[in-house]
Amino acid sequence: FYYTTPRLLNETQVTMVEGLARLLSTQLELSELERQTELACRMELKALQSQINPHFLFNTINAIASLIRTDPPRARELLREFATFYRRTLENSDELIPLAQELDYVRRYLAFERARFGEDRIIFSEEVPPAFSQILVPAFVVQPLVENAVQHGIRPAGPLHIRVTAHVDPEGAVCVDVTDDGRGIAAADLPHVFDPGFGRGLGIALKNVDDRLKGHFGPDSGLAIRSVEDHGTTVTLALMPGAIQEAAL
């Protein structure tokens, strides 16, 4: 606002200028808060990438070592796959990645677990229409759900079936379901699935996955879990429609 002389100013104009200044200040503060939230999400993922679960690392190396004498070609194949998988966990993943790439992480991870438990112990299937393959998601949001299904679902004997599906719900949200027919979660434990430390695929807890989804796509996005003990678990990853387009821009 510019006036050539103070005589042109009155109380109404001063109040209007002060109100506009407060509005602009609030907008700047909100913009900075949003930027800080985004930086926090990125730094959290970087920290997680540098702290890959040592149990997964040791179990995979031991599985490959056991194949060196019995099946050297398979051991070489798994070693190359593990090098690729591990390198990708350390890559710069500041940006969102296509869902197809996240599902590739899932397949590579399951190759190691099948080598560890046996090819017939983990049966994996996908029902993800091609239209969903390029939807952008944060890195490591589906793979930890599959890893938790293996860790908490596999029984001493018999196969564990894991299925990943994608669909749009009645509200227009894109949903990715990870369903298993494993041991399930006890009813007493269900209220605590988002407590720190519950379910830590690759060292990434379910709460972290839920927090990062909300950070990228808004508070209505995130995880929902349904489970019946001894019958299996379904974890639904939901992305609200408006936030998907905003995240892609």
Side-chain angles (χ1 to χ4, degrees):
F1 289 81
Y2 175 77
Y3 297 92
T4 58
T5 172
R7 291 196 308 272
L8 299 176
L9 284 171
N10 57 42
E11 186 176 344
T12 300
Q13 290 167 327
V14 171
T15 302
M16 182 175 65
V17 171
E18 290 176 345
L20 181 59
R22 285 194 294 270
L23 177 62
L24 291 174
S25 177
T26 300
Q27 291 299 319
L28 288 171
E29 289 175 358
L30 289 174
S31 176
E32 178 62 17
L33 179 60
E34 187 175 307
R35 189 180 73 86
Q36 292 296 331
T37 300
E38 181 181 355
L39 287 174
C41 286
R42 292 181 178 182
M43 293 305 297
E44 191 168 18
L45 178 57
K46 284 182 178 292
L48 290 165
Q49 289 170 329
S50 66
Q51 298 173 8
I52 187 169
N53 190 334
H55 296 294
F56 170 73
L57 179 64
F58 297 147
N59 289 335
T60 301
I61 291 175
N62 287 334
I64 295 173
S66 68
L67 291 170
I68 288 176
R69 290 187 178 181
T70 60
D71 192 350
R74 178 62 173 156
R76 285 196 298 271
E77 177 187 352
L78 284 174
L79 194 57
R80 286 194 297 267
E81 286 289 309
F82 184 66
T84 300
F85 180 87
Y86 193 72
R87 183 172 63 249
R88 287 186 177 178
T89 66
L90 301 176
E91 285 176 350
N92 184 357
S93 298
D94 286 347
E95 303 300 327
L96 302 177
I97 64 172
L99 179 59
Q101 185 175 339
E102 178 70 8
L103 293 177
D104 182 58
Y105 293 160
V106 170
R107 297 184 206 102
R108 291 179 186 274
Y109 159 74
L110 287 175
F112 310 134
E113 294 295 53
R114 286 196 180 106
R116 176 185 169 197
F117 290 106
E119 293 291 333
D120 59 345
R121 293 293 311 282
I122 301 174
I123 310 300
F124 177 66
S125 62
E126 296 177 41
E127 294 179 19
V128 179
F132 291 82
S133 63
Q134 294 307 307
I135 289 175
L136 298 179
V137 299
F140 301 108
V141 290
V142 179
Q143 187 277 335
L145 307 184
V146 173
E147 184 169 354
N148 277 311
V150 174
Q151 290 182 348
H152 300 289
I154 199 163
R155 294 182 170 92
L160 172 71
H161 295 83
I162 301 175
R163 183 165 55 112
V164 175
T165 61
H167 65 279
V168 177
D169 74 5
E171 296 181 357
V174 172
C175 296
V176 178
D177 292 337
V178 177
T179 303
D180 69 74
D181 61 353
R183 292 176 294 176
I185 302 172
D189 290 334
L190 268 178
H192 305 290
V193 293
F194 292 125
D195 289 353
F198 188 99
R200 299 186 63 84
L202 282 188
I204 301 177
L206 293 178
K207 186 179 188 316
N208 174 271
V209 175
D210 186 61
D211 286 346
R212 285 193 290 130
L213 289 171
K214 286 178 166 57
H216 279 288
F217 300 107
D220 293 329
S221 300
L223 298 181
I225 300 178
R226 305 185 305 278
S227 186
V228 178
E229 194 170 7
D230 294 327
H231 287 81
T233 301
T234 295
V235 181
T236 298
L237 182 160
L239 310 177
M240 296 308 294
I244 295 174
Q245 282 80 15
E246 290 176 11
L249 295 176

